[in-house]
Amino acid sequence: MIKYIVLIVSSAIVFAGEPYRFPWDLTALGTTPAVFPADDVDLTGVSVDGVRPLFFEGQPYKGNPTRVFAWYGAPKGGSKYPAMVVVHGGGGTAFARWVKIWNDKGYAAIAVDTAGAVPSTNKSGRVRHASAGPDGWGGFTQIDDPIEDQWSYHAVAAVVRAHSLIRSYPEVDASRIGITGISWGGYLTSMCAGVDSRFALAMPVYGCGFYQYNSTWTDPLKGMGERGEKWVSLWDASTYLSNARMPMLWLNGTVDHFFHMPSWQRSYRAAPGTSNFVLRVGMPHGHDSGWAPAELYRFADAVMKNGMPLPKVTAQNDDGKNASIRFSSVKPVVEAEFNYTADAGEWEKRRWKTSYAALDGKNGASIPLPPEARVHYFNIVDAEGCMVSSEHVEREPAGTAAADGRRVLIDENYDNRVVGRDVNGADGIDKAKGAVICISDEAAASGKQSLKFVDVPGLTRAWLPLRNIYFKGAETVTNGTVTFSFAFRNSKAYPANFTVEMRDYRTSQFKTGPKLDFMSDGSLKAGDTEVAVLPFDTWTRIALKFTFGAEKEYRLTVFGDGVKKNIMVPFSSTDFLSLGWLGFVMYNETNAVVYMDDVRLTAE
């Protein structure tokens, strides 16, 4: 079998023993490209005030000249702004609103299309134009074509040319230009960080290199045989990452379908300029999700505006019994989030659990290692809500979660959280009006803190605020025994109508299982049954238990001051056959307050 080996030596690549020129003529790409108007492109519904469309000269494709579409914008007035080159992901094209986001933060920005398209209001959001180069993404089927006709060659060239163009504008400070990209744009950002040393920083989101090890493309590349090896040698970002010496921020999610954690970790380790990385549990994959994280803008400001840096993980340790972390931070670190999974197999299907480690007051935190943990890592969060991650650690589990085989889906007591912090799944929050779901030290069933829900008049929907907890994919509970318990406290001064509900979302019309309504008059209803009247400003323990199968009911236990009930209650719908959603909903037209604590959900 032929082995394909790539060596970067000065500006040449040695490929399979035969000298190949570096795929791009960087001298040519470093000059300002010719610019053309985009007046004939219908951009109705996709344009943004202050952001202008344009075409610039691209690389020849099959001997024909090409043009590349882009959006450009800058803050109004002033000059010598820092700037960003922003690169879209698969299925997308250049986004004017992404440029505007950066403009509003004090940056000039250019959004470049990398697959011969212009924005459109049609279903796909993009239309190929007459002067296009190769379509994306990856170009795996193009590997036998001339190098200069393959997609990765053209896409990288388009990004580097966009960089050269934005550098030429008088309002831009050419020494302060960064790059960020999402999904395939993150892949291109990883590539360009190693190709174009002029960038002051690089921030790949999701996308990375090392496709050949653990990604959605690993098996297809293996199936290509020597042609797959050739693609990796030419176009995988791992070929170029050792040259990426500018500061880099990497951002991804634990269950990303395309870019799995092992290849992502290899990528940030391969780039000598890596400064920080952020790994969010369950982060969704998409353009809006990819440009939203505050860490991107904080990192850019730190590098290019001498702004506040992100926290920094300085050490981590796993001694077999405890996991610990050390960190440094200009802003105080307020939370140490410990994330782990007990699952093996496909990375995107693994279930992750989050606990909170106690901070030691000396820039460190530690937590006992769950015996079932197979992979774990920390996220530290500073007082401004920005997060950075430690490296994930893979290990052999020391045991199982519980002798009885229970799987813990929720286990919250809120004591190692920061007062005032939101929780995952909170929706309809309006802090300006006072509607919140946050950590509180005003009351606690155990420990010192609980979760406080505050409803106010004038919100956009009657059911806001609410907390959604979804159980999707591997998390969906379809068999076995479910046990759910929590402590509840209704306010006497601001009594609330509050609903706790479980739903089956397998069909377009959801089916409701257990449903508890805590009323503002103190009564508790389970479906159509009034169970008890609960005292105000007092904690009451609630537990319910059911087994999927022939039975269509659950056992409800209520225990508190002067209250003790143990009854069977039918599901609201007999078609409730899986647990896909758990909701905590406020229904009030007046000011209302409730507290919850010790929320725990297990499935056998």
Side-chain angles (χ1 to χ4, degrees), residues 64-150:
N64 299 312
T66 67
R67 294 182 180 182
V68 177
F69 178 83
W71 294 99
Y72 173 74
K76 294 181 179 179
S79 63
K80 298 305 177 186
Y81 293 106
M84 292 297 300
V85 177
V86 299
V87 191
H88 66 88
T93 181
F95 293 98
R97 55 197 174 106
W98 198 1
V99 171
K100 187 64 165 60
I101 288 171
W102 281 102
N103 293 168
D104 289 346
K105 295 183 182 297
Y107 292 77
I110 187 167
V112 54
D113 178 86
T114 62
V118 294
S120 170
T121 55
N122 69 12
K123 185 176 180 180
S124 71
R126 60 188 295 269
V127 171
R128 297 266 294 162
H129 61 80
S131 300
D135 202 357
W137 280 263
F140 303 108
T141 61
Q142 303 161 3
I143 192 60
D144 295 324
D145 295 344
I147 288 176
E148 61 272 14
D149 288 338
Q150 298 186 35

Side-chain angles (χ1 to χ4, degrees), residues 229-248:
E229 294 177 21
K230 180 179 178 181
W231 187 94
V232 170
S233 298
L234 280 172
W235 306 130
D236 190 82
S238 59
T239 298
Y240 306 95
L241 278 170
S242 62
N243 293 333
R245 301 188 179 278
M246 68 286 291
M248 295 188 72

